[in-house]
Amino acid sequence: MKLRYLVLAGALAQAGLVHGMGLGELELQSYLGNPLQADLRIVGPGQFDQDDIQVRIARPEVYERFGARFEAFHNQIDFTVQPSPGGSIRVQANSKGSVQEPFLDIVVELSWPQGTTYRRYSLLVDPPAYAA
């Protein structure tokens, strides 16, 4: 009976050690008519470093599950995983082409050795006149 409680206690202790990770807030740094530039924060990277983490635009099927519409422009967005000061990890998003629509709705995929997660970002891209 004691052994059963010890096994149960060990299993419960292990349940809290799941290495979850997620995508945090997106900080838009560009304006309408310019290439997309944005920073994303990685939440809870734990022991993983930038080489273990991949970030990309989700597949069109994932967009459907999120109720979002996949646009051709989304294929032009590249993500670069970089270390930040203080040991955290950030992601730089850049597009090859210019953002032409003021509303941008993207689904981003985050993958690491223990899993994959997705996050939908709905962005309102201001015209350059709002920079002042």
Side-chain angles (χ1 to χ4, degrees):
M1 189 66 146
K2 249 184 173 178
L3 179 61
R4 193 176 299 169
Y5 287 120
L6 286 173
V7 171
L8 179 61
L12 290 174
Q14 288 294 324
L17 297 177
V18 174
H19 300 291
M21 192 180 313
L23 290 164
E25 295 302 312
L26 182 145
E27 182 183 325
L28 190 61
Q29 300 171 344
S30 57
Y31 296 95
L32 198 59
N34 296 308
L36 177 76
Q37 292 183 325
D39 274 328
L40 289 92
R41 202 169 55 88
I42 301 279
V43 178
Q47 82 258 10
F48 301 108
D49 62 23
Q50 67 191 54
D51 296 329
D52 296 325
I53 299 169
Q54 292 183 337
V55 180
R56 63 180 155 256
I57 286 292
R59 296 178 316 279
E61 311 86 72
V62 176
Y63 270 74
E64 281 184 32
R65 283 192 306 189
F66 275 84
R69 195 167 92 196
F70 186 83
E71 303 282 346
F73 174 76
H74 299 172
N75 281 326
Q76 295 182 29
I77 303 172
D78 292 320
F79 297 90
T80 306
V81 179
Q82 303 171 333
S84 280
S88 63
I89 296 175
R90 73 180 186 101
V91 178
Q92 180 71 40
N94 295 296
S95 69
K96 297 172 187 82
S98 297
V99 179
Q100 299 300 321
E101 297 294 326
F103 183 70
L104 187 60
D105 194 22
I106 60 173
V107 180
V108 179
E109 175 182 311
L110 167 66
S111 299
W112 68 100
Q114 270 79 27
T116 300
T117 190
Y118 303 93
R119 180 160 179 188
R120 182 178 180 177
Y121 293 96
S122 297
L123 309 170
L124 182 59
V125 185
D126 290 329
Y130 282 84

